[in-house]
Amino acid sequence: MMYIVLMGGPGAGKGTQAKQLQKELNIPQIATGDLFRENLRNETELGKLARTYMDAGELVPDEVTVAMVKDRLSQPDCAQGVIFDGFPRTIAQADALSALLGEMGEQVHIVPYIHVDPAILLKRLAGRWTCSTCGRVYHALFNPPQQSGICDLDGGTLYQRDDDTEETQKRRIDVYFEQTAPLLDYYRDKGILVEINGEQSIAQVQKDLIQAIRNIA
Ligand code: ADP
Ligand code: AMP
Ligand code: ZN
């Protein structure tokens, strides 16, 4: 049983790492950003509501986000553990997560904080390309696909996210410092925050993450 919350600014590499970790640990990734984007694509009411916030780089309201996570967490594949990516992003969401897991007799076990300097975050976001089929992320310079514009895994077309404009990227980083960074102390005080150097290669960050998780297991 392992409930993991990946923390780190926008572009720190949470999605990149979570996609690899879920195979390693055999537990699913819950990425709230991915869930919202799925709702956008399917043009659901939730997607329409989320779009205005996402396009502005602001957070979708807590109640909406928590309800979506609650629904996902109730599915059977979440019973052995979950890697949360991009959630929680506010203290209210963290309290809600703790209550939801509490109802399952569970708790957050470890919060790896993938630390990356803000100047590097911007460079990462600027070159990000995402697979339209499997959601895997690439970087034009730091992690390019074998064939430009095509996913290595499934041949899916790569796209740049609508909210990866320069203005929105900057706003997302500001919002992170205002609303999400306070969670670092929240989890540090609980004794479950582990700092990971996110400025290393993708493979080395993955190794450090696995080691940190094995250390507490
Ligand atoms: P997040 O989910 O935290 O927003 P992503 O996983 O989407 O971050 O990564 C943002 C961008 O940075 C992507 O283009 C990804 O390929 C790239 N990236 C991720 N980790 C690293 C790393 N360790 N070194 C260089 N580039 C990275
Ligand atoms: P991400 O894919 O994590 O970069 O998230 C993209 C966007 O989705 C964010 O800028 C927010 O608008 C929204 N979002 C994702 N996760 C959350 C969350 N936990 N709380 C509020 N909004 C979120
Ligand atoms: Zn793909």
Side-chain angles (χ1 to χ4, degrees):
M1 224 69 90
M2 184 63 79
Y3 291 87
I4 301 169
V5 168
L6 289 185
M7 286 281 300
K14 300 180 297 297
T16 301
Q17 297 298 333
K19 290 234 157 21
Q20 296 184 20
L21 260 190
Q22 58 176 356
K23 289 188 202 128
E24 178 72 27
L25 304 176
N26 206 19
I27 52 176
Q29 165 200 27
I30 297 186
T32 41
D34 287 354
L35 292 176
F36 284 132
R37 278 184 290 279
E38 199 180 305
N39 276 279
L40 288 186
R41 269 197 306 278
N42 296 334
E43 296 178 358
T44 67
E45 285 306 311
L46 175 61
K48 282 178 206 153
L49 185 148
R51 161 157 273 146
T52 45
Y53 297 97
M54 293 173 82
D55 284 350
E58 302 293 338
L59 296 184
V60 178
D62 288 335
E63 295 132 61
V64 178
T65 306
V66 168
M68 180 177 75
V69 170
K70 182 178 181 185
D71 181 57
R72 179 67 188 86
L73 202 51
S74 69
Q75 286 161 30
D77 63 325
C78 297
Q80 297 306 315
V82 165
I83 304 158
F84 293 98
D85 158 10
F87 179 88
R89 261 172 152 101
T90 62
I91 301 275
Q93 290 182 14
D95 285 337
L97 176 61
S98 149
L100 287 175
L101 290 176
E103 285 167 21
M104 297 162 61
E106 284 302 334
Q107 63 189 69
V108 176
H109 296 101
I110 184 169
V111 182
Y113 166 40
I114 307 177
H115 183 266
V116 173
D117 185 85
I120 299 180
L121 292 179
L122 269 179
K123 288 194 185 130
R124 294 225 182 139
L125 294 175
R128 171 160 66 188
W129 289 82
T130 306
C131 174
S132 51
T133 311
C134 72
R136 180 174 165 176
V137 285
Y138 294 85
H139 191 283
L141 302 173
F142 308 145
N143 184 27
Q146 279 162 15
Q147 213 182 324
S148 171
I150 309 248
C151 178
D152 295 347
L153 301 180
D154 51 30
T157 315
L158 305 186
Y159 71 99
Q160 284 195 297
R161 278 167 44 173
D162 284 347
D163 64 346
D164 269 347
T165 64
E166 205 181 324
E167 196 189 342
T168 314
Q169 285 162 0
K170 286 197 181 125
R171 182 64 197 142
R172 290 218 307 277
I173 291 172
D174 286 347
V175 166
Y176 167 77
F177 282 106
E178 286 162 18
Q179 302 192 50
T180 307
L183 283 177
L184 296 174
D185 274 341
Y186 175 100
Y187 285 123
R188 200 175 275 126
D189 289 347
K190 294 187 191 293
I192 53 175
L193 192 86
V194 181
E195 194 152 332
I196 305 282
N197 176 4
E199 295 181 15
Q200 312 175 88
S201 70
I202 292 173
Q204 189 58 48
V205 174
Q206 179 75 189
K207 277 190 194 146
D208 287 3
L209 272 173
I210 291 170
Q211 190 170 30
I213 292 163
R214 299 265 182 251
N215 277 346
I216 65 135

